[in-house]
């Protein structure tokens, strides 16, 4: 299967931002350092990833996968491609909310580095596991079913939205996770993934963002030192099961 490399350049100007947004940009990266390290944060993603791997070898879990598939796809006349777009909604919501004056936890530079780091970790992990496991998709079209890349992107964004806006309202995170869960359900509805693929993808997405937050203080010091800078750029690779894309994003 041929992989298509797409390089896209996104330039966003912050010159005309409102006073509220400027105040938000003045928040230092010290806020990220308030993220606490706790093994409890690994429980949920660990369980999801573990269940996904368990399903690769367990006949009982495989049987359950087929039962879920039959129930979800029963009497389906058409497919809906909403999952191709909904996977990006949680992450994009962070920037949309900020544009409308709802302050997130971190400034534009730090949150962009965090998102870029998360996507790099997530995409690398998903791509590697697809190449190693070679699990067949439910519709039999290819052998790159495990884990679900769409679901991983959606849950990475949902955790990103939760971390940035949980101090404003927990409902932002709830909404993000609802969209991410819907993305996973539609991947099964469209007969593209098994339940275990979706579970593992969700765990990888959540864990990737958590790791990105833990790494950010170190990356910020290495990339920018201790000086505040309104300009930043990063590479954000994505993989949708067929095509691999590398997005170069620059804010100034």
């Amino acid at each position: 299967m041929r992989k298509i490399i797409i390089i896209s350049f996104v330039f966003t100007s912050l010159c005309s931002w409102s006073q509220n947004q400027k105040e938000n940009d003045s928040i230092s990266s010290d806020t990220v350092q308030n993220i606490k390290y706790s093994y409890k944060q690994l429980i949920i993603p660990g369980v999801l990833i573990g269940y996904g791997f368990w399903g690769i070898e367990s006949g009982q879990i495989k049987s359950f996968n087929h039962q879920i598939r039959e129930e979800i796809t029963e009497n389906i006349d058409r497919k809906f491609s909403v999952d191709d777009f909904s996977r990006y909604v949680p992450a994009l919501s962070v920037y949309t909310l900020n544009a409308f004056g709802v302050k997130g936890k971190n400034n534009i530079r730090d949150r962009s580095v965090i998102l870029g780091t998360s996507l790099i970790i997530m995409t690398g992990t998903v791509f590697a596991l697809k190449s190693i496991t070679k699990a067949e998709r439910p519709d039999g079209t290819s052998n790159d079913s495990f884990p679900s890349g769409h679901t991983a992107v959606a849950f990475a964004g949902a955790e990103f939205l939760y971390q940035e806006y949980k101090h404003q309202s927990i409902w932002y995170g709830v909404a993000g996770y609802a969209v991410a869960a819907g993305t996973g359900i539609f991947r099964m509805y469209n007969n593209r993934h098994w339940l275990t693929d979706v579970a593992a993808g969700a765990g990888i997405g959540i864990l990737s963002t958590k790791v990105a937050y833990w790494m950010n203080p170190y990356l910020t010091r290495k990339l920018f030192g201790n000086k505040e800078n309104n300009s930043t750029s990063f590479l954000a690779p994505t993989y949708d099961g067929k095509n691999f894309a590398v997005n170069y994003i620059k804010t100034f």
Side-chain angles (χ1 to χ4, degrees):
M1 180 176 59
R2 186 179 63 178
K3 306 297 180 184
I4 302 176
I5 305 295
I6 304 173
I7 307 295
S8 61
F9 297 87
V10 181
F11 296 91
T12 58
S13 175
L14 307 179
C15 297
S16 60
W17 275 29
S18 66
Q19 183 63 31
N20 286 337
Q21 291 166 323
K22 290 180 180 179
E23 291 175 357
N24 184 45
D25 282 342
S26 67
I27 299 175
S28 71
S29 59
D30 291 339
T31 56
V32 181
Q33 299 184 36
N34 291 328
I35 300 293
K36 295 182 179 180
Y37 299 86
S38 172
Y39 72 91
K40 293 181 180 179
Q41 298 182 44
L42 303 177
I43 293 177
I44 293 178
V47 169
L48 291 170
I49 295 172
Y51 177 75
F53 274 103
W54 186 20
I56 295 178
E57 298 296 336
S58 172
Q60 183 177 1
I61 299 299
K62 288 181 179 179
S63 176
F64 184 64
N65 272 341
H66 282 83
Q67 292 177 20
I68 294 296
R69 174 199 176 193
E70 291 174 2
E71 291 181 8
I72 291 179
T73 61
E74 185 178 8
N75 299 322
I76 291 179
D77 296 325
R78 56 174 298 185
K79 295 182 179 180
F80 296 92
S81 59
V82 64
D83 45 304
D84 287 333
F85 307 99
S86 63
R87 54 179 163 163
Y88 300 120
V89 170
L92 292 177
S93 296
V94 173
Y95 294 92
T96 302
L97 287 168
N98 190 79
F100 281 95
V102 185
K103 295 181 180 179
K105 177 176 291 184
N106 297 289
N107 59 36
I108 184 71
R109 185 195 71 182
D110 289 333
R111 84 166 65 99
S112 296
V113 172
I114 290 168
L115 178 60
T117 304
S118 173
L119 292 176
I120 289 172
I121 295 171
M122 179 274 300
T123 304
T125 303
V126 168
F127 187 77
L129 289 176
K130 283 180 178 292
S131 300
I132 294 171
T133 58
K134 299 185 183 300
E136 185 178 15
R137 290 184 183 271
D139 59 7
T141 57
S142 61
N143 294 320
D144 57 354
S145 187
F146 182 88
S148 169
H150 282 62
T151 309
V153 171
F155 275 87
E159 178 66 15
F160 179 52
L161 178 61
Y162 169 70
Q163 291 293 343
E164 287 297 312
Y165 285 100
K166 64 182 179 181
H167 68 288
Q168 294 280 11
S169 173
I170 193 174
W171 290 105
Y172 288 117
V174 171
Y177 271 101
V179 172
T183 300
I185 291 172
F186 269 101
R187 293 308 285 165
M188 293 186 292
Y189 178 87
N190 289 328
N191 205 28
R192 296 293 290 162
H193 283 290
W194 306 101
L195 175 61
T196 45
D197 302 336
V198 169
I204 291 169
I206 296 170
L207 185 59
S208 296
T209 298
K210 287 185 180 296
V211 172
Y213 272 94
W214 296 340
M215 292 175 61
N216 191 63
Y218 171 80
L219 291 177
T220 298
R221 288 194 299 270
K222 288 295 183 181
L223 293 173
F224 309 108
N226 295 322
K227 296 180 180 180
E228 287 292 322
N229 192 335
N230 288 329
S231 175
T232 186
S233 61
F234 63 92
L235 295 177
T238 60
Y239 180 69
D240 62 6
K242 291 183 178 180
N243 302 320
F244 182 83
V246 179
N247 300 295
Y248 177 73
I249 299 177
K250 182 176 180 64
T251 63
F252 56 93

